[in-house]
Amino acid sequence: MFRLLRYYSFTSGLALLAVALVLISVYREVSLNHVVEMVEKENVAMSRAFANAIWPRFSDYVTLDAPRDGDTLRARPETTEIHDIAKGLVSGLSVVKIKIYRLDGLTVYSSEFSQIGEDKSQNLSFAKTAAVGTPTSKFGFRTTFMGINGPLKDRYITESYLPIQGKSGAVEGVFELYSDATARVAAVTTDVKWLSIALVWTFGLLYGVLFIIVRRADKIIKRQYSDLHHEVGERLTAEQKLRQALHDAEYANKAKSEFLAHMSHELRTPLNSIIGFAETMSHEVFGKLGDPKYREYANDIRRSGNHLLELINEVLDVSKVEAGAMEINEDDVDLAAVMKECAALMKDEARKVGIDLSVSIAKDFPEFRGDSRRLKQIFLNLLSNAIKFTPASGRITLDASIEEGGGLKIAVADTGIGIEPEDLSRILLPFEQVEDHLKRTTQGTGLGLALSKSLTELHGGKLSLESEPGVGTTVTLRFPPERALVAQPRLPLNL
Ligand code: ADP
């Protein structure tokens, strides 16, 4: 996890330190520049005073255009005179050394006598002042320095070359004044010290306040992170459980389908024997049964056996559908004939309970591409349901038409007890029934509708249910136009 507090402590501490150092060094630099500027200005003013005191008397001596060496100059009485005047002028001032140059660089006078006679012409600052007439200054630290009143130690010295202008305004010579700026630098150092203390306090306070804010934020983030972590963990566990449950359910469903398929298959063999022998007995193939009751029982056994076989076949079909193993044998089917045949098969049963069953098929209803056995199974299921759930004197219609676009629509409608809206989707699932209707006076496994729906879908169609309790139910099958075969004109057959 990102460690905000540690990151903040480190980076902001570093940043504040860097800012403080930059501020202090900038302040120190600016202050020292200011000191140099001020000392230079003072030196310019002082150079005027020196010029006024020395130049009228010694200008000719300084500017004298003749080769002179140090010893000669030092021996000259003017040197002592200038030295005395200079000493008097600097007493009580910060000036600690004075030099006077001829314009060609000859050191005519220096308060440090050993330097008299030296050539300064190669010094850039001197050359600039002598040629252009502007003052130039240099600032530096000297561990030892020979001042006009004796040797000095550890001093900040500003040395300024200052032009000496004659009455005409032309530069006639150059002064060099050395000023002791140690006291001013010390003042700057003291300022810097106070500034540093102030900055340490201010930044320390700022750092402290920000630290508290960041620590709070860090705590909040950590808490939220841990909550989130917890939540994600819980969700992952729940997801894992769900996946496991789904896996278990799929496994159980597969096991159920396999069991049903296996059992149905195993049951069919003995059942066929039961039906076959019951039939043999009821027809008295091997001789009279004697009491007529035996024939009646044999008939009952055959009927029940057949019913059981139908149920087993349905269970087998459903498990095949669920396993995705149901296949249909497609062929060209005269669907109108199939529907009529189914209606004819159910007509008697309907009439027995006083229900009118009618069939209406559109004239140009086409042939159909599908499995006639499975299609028959669908219609028989739907018609038998309609009969089962329609009271006496009710009506059932089977209506087949062509929809716009060429699709086929087949509707089985009844005027029966209907289905409650909340049961509509449920009863399309295998084994689902609307329970207390007719108090289960009807037979059934709850597989018929589910199977019809699956078989319709295997034909590329859709089964939908519409129902109103007490009014009736309509089951509609819709097949896509591809299932309809283009009717071939029937040619008259001439033999
Ligand atoms: P079964 O008829 O064997 O019970 P089905 O899957 O065919 O199983 O039907 C499921 C349930 O749907 C029926 O038990 C019945 O409650 C309801 N049902 C089906 N068709 C109709 C209908 N035409 N009218 C009223 N209820 C119906």
Side-chain angles (χ1 to χ4, degrees), residues 385-386 388-389 414 418-419 427 432-434 444-449 473:
N385 270 351
K388 260 197 287 183
F389 299 104
D414 63 52
I419 304 162
I427 57 165
E432 289 289 348
Q433 297 172 316
V434 178
T445 48
L447 294 173
L449 271 182
T473 304

Side-chain angles (χ1 to χ4, degrees), residues 242-269:
L242 264 177
R243 223 176 282 143
Q244 185 60 43
L246 185 69
H247 178 263
D248 291 351
E250 276 170 0
Y251 182 78
N253 194 36
K254 197 165 166 249
K256 181 204 75 184
S257 297
E258 274 172 14
F259 170 77
L260 284 179
H262 192 71
M263 282 306 292
S264 309
H265 191 72
E266 289 298 311
L267 285 173
R268 267 203 313 192
T269 318

Side-chain angles (χ1 to χ4, degrees), residues 153-199:
K153 276 190 150 193
D154 299 332
R155 295 288 150 151
Y156 285 97
I157 301 290
T158 306
E159 43 180 303
S160 309
Y161 290 95
L162 306 149
I164 308 165
Q165 271 134 350
K167 281 195 188 105
S168 62
V171 179
E172 293 179 347
V174 172
F175 273 129
E176 189 181 6
L177 298 189
Y178 291 75
S179 292
D180 186 357
T182 311
R184 290 169 193 263
V185 172
V188 169
T189 308
T190 311
D191 284 354
V192 167
K193 196 171 83 191
W194 283 115
L195 177 74
S196 308
I197 292 171
L199 278 179

Side-chain angles (χ1 to χ4, degrees), residues 242-443:
L242 264 177
R243 223 176 282 143
Q244 185 60 43
L246 185 69
H247 178 263
D248 291 351
E250 276 170 0
Y251 182 78
N253 194 36
K254 197 165 166 249
K256 181 204 75 184
S257 297
E258 274 172 14
F259 170 77
L260 284 179
H262 192 71
M263 282 306 292
S264 309
H265 191 72
E266 289 298 311
L267 285 173
R268 267 203 313 192
T269 318
L271 204 52
N272 279 327
S273 305
I274 292 170
I275 294 167
F277 292 141
E279 209 166 312
T280 312
M281 284 164 78
S282 73
H283 288 119
E284 298 179 322
V285 174
F286 300 109
K288 293 271 174 213
L289 285 174
D291 197 313
K293 278 267 175 209
Y294 287 132
R295 214 170 58 207
E296 200 184 309
Y297 291 159
N299 274 330
D300 282 349
I301 293 171
R302 183 177 49 85
R303 222 179 0 260
S304 302
N306 273 325
H307 181 61
L308 205 56
L309 189 62
E310 261 172 42
L311 294 186
I312 288 169
N313 283 338
E314 275 190 348
V315 168
L316 196 62
D317 285 347
V318 167
S319 47
K320 264 193 204 162
V321 168
E322 286 194 344
M326 174 67 98
E327 279 173 9
I328 53 171
N329 298 316
E330 290 193 10
D331 209 344
D332 295 356
V333 180
D334 185 349
L335 196 56
V338 169
M339 287 187 282
K340 279 182 198 153
E341 188 189 335
C342 292
L345 278 173
M346 303 306 289
K347 207 152 194 149
D348 272 353
E349 204 175 316
R351 200 180 302 126
K352 258 190 246 164
V353 284
I355 295 169
D356 174 52
L357 197 164
S358 62
V359 179
S360 145
I361 299 173
K363 246 195 187 144
D364 47 356
F365 199 80
E367 289 223 332
F368 189 84
R369 187 77 194 156
D371 186 329
S372 63
R373 189 169 79 86
R374 294 304 186 184
L375 290 164
K376 217 181 267 179
Q377 199 176 345
I378 298 173
F379 296 125
L380 289 177
N381 269 336
L382 299 184
L383 287 171
S384 73
N385 270 351
I387 295 169
K388 260 197 287 183
F389 299 104
T390 302
S393 77
R395 233 170 344 99
I396 298 172
T397 55
L398 194 162
D399 187 84
S401 57
I402 305 168
E403 289 194 294
E404 235 175 78
L408 302 180
K409 179 182 164 190
I410 300 159
V412 177
D414 63 52
T415 56
I417 57 166
I419 304 162
E420 294 291 336
E422 63 265 27
D423 295 322
L424 270 181
S425 55
R426 184 171 65 84
I427 57 165
L428 286 172
L429 298 170
F431 302 106
E432 289 289 348
Q433 297 172 316
V434 178
E435 265 158 13
D436 58 347
H437 277 158
L438 303 185
K439 303 275 182 243
R440 292 247 55 80
T441 52
T442 57
Q443 283 190 328

Side-chain angles (χ1 to χ4, degrees), residues 74 97 99 107 110 112-119 178:
R74 269 188 288 277
K97 185 173 172 179
K99 287 166 101 174
T107 310
S110 168
E112 192 179 340
F113 277 21
S114 60
Q115 293 175 331
I116 294 176
E118 281 177 358
D119 180 19
Y178 291 75

